[in-house]
mmCIF file of all heavy atoms in Angstrom:
data_model
loop_
_atom_site.group_PDB
_atom_site.id
_atom_site.type_symbol
_atom_site.label_atom_id
_atom_site.label_comp_id
_atom_site.label_asym_id
_atom_site.label_seq_id
_atom_site.Cartn_x
_atom_site.Cartn_y
_atom_site.Cartn_z
ATOM 1 N N GLY A 1 0.818 -1.214 0.000
ATOM 2 C CA GLY A 1 0.000 0.000 0.000
ATOM 3 C C GLY A 1 0.845 1.254 0.000
ATOM 4 O O GLY A 1 0.572 2.213 -0.727
ATOM 5 N N LEU A 2 1.895 1.240 0.808
ATOM 6 C CA LEU A 2 2.793 2.401 0.846
ATOM 7 C C LEU A 2 3.526 2.587 -0.478
ATOM 8 O O LEU A 2 3.710 3.716 -0.940
ATOM 9 C CB LEU A 2 3.789 2.262 2.002
ATOM 10 C CG LEU A 2 3.177 2.381 3.402
ATOM 11 C CD1 LEU A 2 4.161 1.928 4.462
ATOM 12 C CD2 LEU A 2 2.702 3.809 3.657
ATOM 13 N N LEU A 3 3.943 1.502 -1.102
ATOM 14 C CA LEU A 3 4.610 1.603 -2.404
ATOM 15 C C LEU A 3 3.642 2.135 -3.460
ATOM 16 O O LEU A 3 4.022 2.986 -4.278
ATOM 17 C CB LEU A 3 5.185 0.250 -2.820
ATOM 18 C CG LEU A 3 5.918 0.209 -4.160
ATOM 19 C CD1 LEU A 3 7.042 1.236 -4.228
ATOM 20 C CD2 LEU A 3 6.439 -1.201 -4.422
ATOM 21 N N ALA A 4 2.412 1.673 -3.440
ATOM 22 C CA ALA A 4 1.413 2.197 -4.383
ATOM 23 C C ALA A 4 1.224 3.694 -4.171
ATOM 24 O O ALA A 4 1.133 4.455 -5.143
ATOM 25 C CB ALA A 4 0.091 1.450 -4.220
ATOM 26 N N ALA A 5 1.182 4.134 -2.921
ATOM 27 C CA ALA A 5 1.045 5.565 -2.635
ATOM 28 C C ALA A 5 2.251 6.341 -3.164
ATOM 29 O O ALA A 5 2.103 7.433 -3.721
ATOM 30 C CB ALA A 5 0.872 5.790 -1.129
ATOM 31 N N ARG A 6 3.430 5.775 -3.033
ATOM 32 C CA ARG A 6 4.627 6.442 -3.555
ATOM 33 C C ARG A 6 4.600 6.524 -5.081
ATOM 34 O O ARG A 6 5.011 7.528 -5.657
ATOM 35 C CB ARG A 6 5.891 5.716 -3.099
ATOM 36 C CG ARG A 6 6.208 5.947 -1.647
ATOM 37 C CD ARG A 6 7.440 5.182 -1.226
ATOM 38 N NE ARG A 6 7.721 5.408 0.174
ATOM 39 C CZ ARG A 6 8.934 5.609 0.662
ATOM 40 N NH1 ARG A 6 9.985 5.604 -0.131
ATOM 41 N NH2 ARG A 6 9.105 5.805 1.947
ATOM 42 N N ILE A 7 4.128 5.462 -5.718
ATOM 43 C CA ILE A 7 4.023 5.482 -7.185
ATOM 44 C C ILE A 7 3.079 6.600 -7.609
ATOM 45 O O ILE A 7 3.398 7.394 -8.502
ATOM 46 C CB ILE A 7 3.556 4.116 -7.717
ATOM 47 C CG1 ILE A 7 4.664 3.064 -7.541
ATOM 48 C CG2 ILE A 7 3.135 4.213 -9.186
ATOM 49 C CD1 ILE A 7 4.219 1.635 -7.778
ATOM 50 N N LEU A 8 1.926 6.675 -6.971
ATOM 51 C CA LEU A 8 0.970 7.742 -7.306
ATOM 52 C C LEU A 8 1.513 9.107 -6.906
ATOM 53 O O LEU A 8 1.263 10.104 -7.589
ATOM 54 C CB LEU A 8 -0.373 7.481 -6.625
ATOM 55 C CG LEU A 8 -1.102 6.211 -7.066
ATOM 56 C CD1 LEU A 8 -2.372 6.025 -6.247
ATOM 57 C CD2 LEU A 8 -1.415 6.242 -8.549
ATOM 58 N N GLY A 9 2.272 9.157 -5.818
ATOM 59 C CA GLY A 9 2.845 10.412 -5.348
ATOM 60 C C GLY A 9 3.900 10.997 -6.264
ATOM 61 O O GLY A 9 4.224 12.181 -6.184
ATOM 62 N N ALA A 10 4.424 10.192 -7.153
ATOM 63 C CA ALA A 10 5.420 10.705 -8.106
ATOM 64 C C ALA A 10 4.817 11.793 -8.993
ATOM 65 O O ALA A 10 5.535 12.676 -9.462
ATOM 66 C CB ALA A 10 5.974 9.566 -8.965
ATOM 67 N N THR A 11 3.505 11.741 -9.207
ATOM 68 C CA THR A 11 2.841 12.742 -10.052
ATOM 69 C C THR A 11 1.710 13.476 -9.334
ATOM 70 O O THR A 11 1.013 14.255 -9.957
ATOM 71 C CB THR A 11 2.272 12.080 -11.326
ATOM 72 O OG1 THR A 11 1.363 11.041 -10.945
ATOM 73 C CG2 THR A 11 3.387 11.519 -12.196
ATOM 74 N N ASP A 12 1.539 13.219 -8.038
ATOM 75 C CA ASP A 12 0.471 13.865 -7.271
ATOM 76 C C ASP A 12 1.088 14.483 -6.017
ATOM 77 O O ASP A 12 1.444 13.780 -5.068
ATOM 78 C CB ASP A 12 -0.599 12.837 -6.899
ATOM 79 C CG ASP A 12 -1.793 13.448 -6.186
ATOM 80 O OD1 ASP A 12 -1.603 14.306 -5.290
ATOM 81 O OD2 ASP A 12 -2.930 13.037 -6.505
ATOM 82 N N GLU A 13 1.208 15.800 -6.026
ATOM 83 C CA GLU A 13 1.879 16.505 -4.937
ATOM 84 C C GLU A 13 1.190 16.297 -3.594
ATOM 85 O O GLU A 13 1.851 16.208 -2.548
ATOM 86 C CB GLU A 13 1.964 18.002 -5.260
ATOM 87 C CG GLU A 13 2.792 18.783 -4.288
ATOM 88 C CD GLU A 13 2.965 20.240 -4.693
ATOM 89 O OE1 GLU A 13 2.846 20.550 -5.890
ATOM 90 O OE2 GLU A 13 3.228 21.055 -3.796
ATOM 91 N N ASN A 14 -0.133 16.201 -3.580
ATOM 92 C CA ASN A 14 -0.877 15.993 -2.337
ATOM 93 C C ASN A 14 -0.500 14.657 -1.694
ATOM 94 O O ASN A 14 -0.251 14.587 -0.490
ATOM 95 C CB ASN A 14 -2.384 16.060 -2.617
ATOM 96 C CG ASN A 14 -3.204 15.948 -1.360
ATOM 97 O OD1 ASN A 14 -2.919 16.583 -0.349
ATOM 98 N ND2 ASN A 14 -4.250 15.138 -1.423
ATOM 99 N N ILE A 15 -0.444 13.605 -2.487
ATOM 100 C CA ILE A 15 -0.067 12.290 -1.958
ATOM 101 C C ILE A 15 1.390 12.306 -1.510
ATOM 102 O O ILE A 15 1.742 11.754 -0.460
ATOM 103 C CB ILE A 15 -0.316 11.179 -3.006
ATOM 104 C CG1 ILE A 15 -1.814 11.046 -3.285
ATOM 105 C CG2 ILE A 15 0.266 9.843 -2.533
ATOM 106 C CD1 ILE A 15 -2.157 10.112 -4.436
ATOM 107 N N ARG A 16 2.250 12.968 -2.287
ATOM 108 C CA ARG A 16 3.666 13.058 -1.935
ATOM 109 C C ARG A 16 3.844 13.758 -0.590
ATOM 110 O O ARG A 16 4.642 13.331 0.258
ATOM 111 C CB ARG A 16 4.436 13.787 -3.044
ATOM 112 C CG ARG A 16 5.933 13.668 -2.927
ATOM 113 C CD ARG A 16 6.669 14.094 -4.189
ATOM 114 N NE ARG A 16 6.283 15.388 -4.711
ATOM 115 C CZ ARG A 16 5.623 15.585 -5.866
ATOM 116 N NH1 ARG A 16 5.273 14.562 -6.623
ATOM 117 N NH2 ARG A 16 5.318 16.794 -6.266
ATOM 118 N N LYS A 17 3.061 14.801 -0.328
ATOM 119 C CA LYS A 17 3.114 15.523 0.958
ATOM 120 C C LYS A 17 2.654 14.606 2.092
ATOM 121 O O LYS A 17 3.262 14.576 3.167
ATOM 122 C CB LYS A 17 2.234 16.772 0.877
ATOM 123 C CG LYS A 17 1.947 17.451 2.190
ATOM 124 C CD LYS A 17 3.110 18.288 2.668
ATOM 125 C CE LYS A 17 2.732 19.174 3.828
ATOM 126 N NZ LYS A 17 2.879 18.584 5.142
ATOM 127 N N LYS A 18 1.589 13.842 1.857
ATOM 128 C CA LYS A 18 1.122 12.907 2.880
ATOM 129 C C LYS A 18 2.183 11.848 3.176
ATOM 130 O O LYS A 18 2.346 11.438 4.326
ATOM 131 C CB LYS A 18 -0.185 12.243 2.445
ATOM 132 C CG LYS A 18 -1.369 13.186 2.474
ATOM 133 C CD LYS A 18 -2.632 12.496 1.984
ATOM 134 C CE LYS A 18 -3.801 13.471 1.953
ATOM 135 N NZ LYS A 18 -5.038 12.828 1.469
ATOM 136 N N MET A 19 2.901 11.412 2.156
ATOM 137 C CA MET A 19 3.966 10.429 2.360
ATOM 138 C C MET A 19 5.101 11.038 3.180
ATOM 139 O O MET A 19 5.637 10.380 4.084
ATOM 140 C CB MET A 19 4.501 9.912 1.019
ATOM 141 C CG MET A 19 5.592 8.847 1.161
ATOM 142 S SD MET A 19 5.125 7.382 2.112
ATOM 143 C CE MET A 19 3.946 6.621 1.012
ATOM 144 N N ALA A 20 5.464 12.272 2.889
ATOM 145 C CA ALA A 20 6.515 12.940 3.664
ATOM 146 C C ALA A 20 6.082 13.078 5.122
ATOM 147 O O ALA A 20 6.888 12.865 6.040
ATOM 148 C CB ALA A 20 6.835 14.303 3.051
ATOM 149 N N ASP A 21 4.827 13.414 5.359
ATOM 150 C CA ASP A 21 4.309 13.517 6.723
ATOM 151 C C ASP A 21 4.334 12.153 7.416
ATOM 152 O O ASP A 21 4.683 12.047 8.597
ATOM 153 C CB ASP A 21 2.878 14.064 6.729
ATOM 154 C CG ASP A 21 2.800 15.526 6.299
ATOM 155 O OD1 ASP A 21 3.851 16.220 6.271
ATOM 156 O OD2 ASP A 21 1.673 15.977 5.975
ATOM 157 N N TYR A 22 3.975 11.106 6.685
ATOM 158 C CA TYR A 22 3.998 9.747 7.218
ATOM 159 C C TYR A 22 5.424 9.370 7.638
ATOM 160 O O TYR A 22 5.645 8.838 8.720
ATOM 161 C CB TYR A 22 3.469 8.766 6.149
ATOM 162 C CG TYR A 22 3.481 7.331 6.583
ATOM 163 C CD1 TYR A 22 2.407 6.776 7.273
ATOM 164 C CD2 TYR A 22 4.571 6.508 6.292
ATOM 165 C CE1 TYR A 22 2.414 5.445 7.669
ATOM 166 C CE2 TYR A 22 4.592 5.180 6.683
ATOM 167 C CZ TYR A 22 3.515 4.652 7.378
ATOM 168 O OH TYR A 22 3.534 3.346 7.768
ATOM 169 N N GLN A 23 6.387 9.677 6.778
ATOM 170 C CA GLN A 23 7.776 9.364 7.081
ATOM 171 C C GLN A 23 8.275 10.155 8.292
ATOM 172 O O GLN A 23 9.010 9.625 9.127
ATOM 173 C CB GLN A 23 8.653 9.648 5.863
ATOM 174 C CG GLN A 23 8.420 8.678 4.730
ATOM 175 C CD GLN A 23 9.236 9.042 3.506
ATOM 176 O OE1 GLN A 23 8.992 10.057 2.864
ATOM 177 N NE2 GLN A 23 10.209 8.203 3.197
ATOM 178 N N GLU A 24 7.861 11.403 8.394
ATOM 179 C CA GLU A 24 8.259 12.218 9.544
ATOM 180 C C GLU A 24 7.675 11.647 10.826
ATOM 181 O O GLU A 24 8.342 11.614 11.870
ATOM 182 C CB GLU A 24 7.821 13.677 9.363
ATOM 183 C CG GLU A 24 8.081 14.568 10.566
ATOM 184 C CD GLU A 24 9.527 14.594 11.052
ATOM 185 O OE1 GLU A 24 10.456 14.385 10.245
ATOM 186 O OE2 GLU A 24 9.738 14.797 12.266
ATOM 187 N N ASN A 25 6.447 11.165 10.759
ATOM 188 C CA ASN A 25 5.823 10.550 11.925
ATOM 189 C C ASN A 25 6.587 9.292 12.354
ATOM 190 O O ASN A 25 6.788 9.064 13.552
ATOM 191 C CB ASN A 25 4.362 10.223 11.626
ATOM 192 C CG ASN A 25 3.637 9.690 12.838
ATOM 193 O OD1 ASN A 25 3.783 10.205 13.943
ATOM 194 N ND2 ASN A 25 2.852 8.652 12.636
ATOM 195 N N LEU A 26 7.014 8.477 11.391
ATOM 196 C CA LEU A 26 7.820 7.298 11.718
ATOM 197 C C LEU A 26 9.124 7.702 12.407
ATOM 198 O O LEU A 26 9.533 7.099 13.405
ATOM 199 C CB LEU A 26 8.151 6.500 10.450
ATOM 200 C CG LEU A 26 7.034 5.701 9.801
ATOM 201 C CD1 LEU A 26 7.550 5.027 8.535
ATOM 202 C CD2 LEU A 26 6.448 4.681 10.755
ATOM 203 N N ARG A 27 9.777 8.730 11.858
ATOM 204 C CA ARG A 27 11.022 9.207 12.446
ATOM 205 C C ARG A 27 10.803 9.659 13.880
ATOM 206 O O ARG A 27 11.566 9.320 14.791
ATOM 207 C CB ARG A 27 11.605 10.354 11.617
ATOM 208 C CG ARG A 27 13.015 10.773 12.059
ATOM 209 C CD ARG A 27 13.348 12.215 11.716
ATOM 210 N NE ARG A 27 12.440 13.173 12.321
ATOM 211 C CZ ARG A 27 12.456 13.536 13.610
ATOM 212 N NH1 ARG A 27 13.322 13.008 14.453
ATOM 213 N NH2 ARG A 27 11.603 14.420 14.080
ATOM 214 N N ALA A 28 9.722 10.416 14.114
ATOM 215 C CA ALA A 28 9.423 10.917 15.452
ATOM 216 C C ALA A 28 9.132 9.774 16.426
ATOM 217 O O ALA A 28 9.530 9.832 17.599
ATOM 218 C CB ALA A 28 8.242 11.885 15.389
ATOM 219 N N GLN A 29 8.472 8.739 15.965
ATOM 220 C CA GLN A 29 8.193 7.583 16.828
ATOM 221 C C GLN A 29 9.484 6.899 17.258
ATOM 222 O O GLN A 29 9.653 6.531 18.428
ATOM 223 C CB GLN A 29 7.301 6.583 16.096
ATOM 224 C CG GLN A 29 5.868 7.033 15.925
ATOM 225 C CD GLN A 29 5.063 6.021 15.117
ATOM 226 O OE1 GLN A 29 5.333 4.824 15.163
ATOM 227 N NE2 GLN A 29 4.084 6.499 14.374
ATOM 228 N N VAL A 30 10.402 6.717 16.318
ATOM 229 C CA VAL A 30 11.678 6.074 16.649
ATOM 230 C C VAL A 30 12.491 6.971 17.575
ATOM 231 O O VAL A 30 13.113 6.497 18.532
ATOM 232 C CB VAL A 30 12.467 5.708 15.373
ATOM 233 C CG1 VAL A 30 13.876 5.221 15.711
ATOM 234 C CG2 VAL A 30 11.710 4.645 14.585
ATOM 235 N N GLN A 31 12.476 8.269 17.328
ATOM 236 C CA GLN A 31 13.205 9.193 18.195
ATOM 237 C C GLN A 31 12.697 9.094 19.625
ATOM 238 O O GLN A 31 13.482 9.044 20.576
ATOM 239 C CB GLN A 31 13.085 10.636 17.692
ATOM 240 C CG GLN A 31 13.832 11.623 18.573
ATOM 241 C CD GLN A 31 13.776 13.045 18.052
ATOM 242 O OE1 GLN A 31 13.364 13.292 16.919
ATOM 243 N NE2 GLN A 31 14.188 13.979 18.870
ATOM 244 N N ALA A 32 11.386 9.055 19.811
ATOM 245 C CA ALA A 32 10.813 8.933 21.156
ATOM 246 C C ALA A 32 11.275 7.641 21.825
ATOM 247 O O ALA A 32 11.564 7.622 23.026
ATOM 248 C CB ALA A 32 9.292 8.987 21.080
ATOM 249 N N LYS A 33 11.388 6.587 21.051
ATOM 250 C CA LYS A 33 11.819 5.295 21.600
ATOM 251 C C LYS A 33 13.277 5.322 22.032
ATOM 252 O O LYS A 33 13.630 4.850 23.116
ATOM 253 C CB LYS A 33 11.578 4.176 20.583
ATOM 254 C CG LYS A 33 10.111 3.886 20.372
ATOM 255 C CD LYS A 33 9.890 2.861 19.280
ATOM 256 C CE LYS A 33 8.393 2.675 19.052
ATOM 257 N NZ LYS A 33 8.104 1.680 18.025
#
């Protein structure tokens, strides 16, 4: 599902922004740990 979102995000700025936010959230979770 995430790879499909990245494929679509290559040409859709809104999806690409959501992916960047998702990645930032993952980073923040690991940092807290």
Side-chain angles (χ1 to χ4, degrees):
L2 291 167
L3 180 55
R6 286 178 180 222
I7 290 169
L8 296 176
T11 58
D12 184 317
E13 188 175 336
N14 184 45
I15 294 172
R16 193 166 51 248
K17 167 78 169 88
K18 289 178 183 180
M19 182 57 69
D21 292 345
Y22 179 87
Q23 290 176 292
E24 175 55 28
N25 185 43
L26 287 178
R27 188 206 59 76
Q29 288 177 31
V30 172
Q31 180 177 348
K33 290 175 184 181

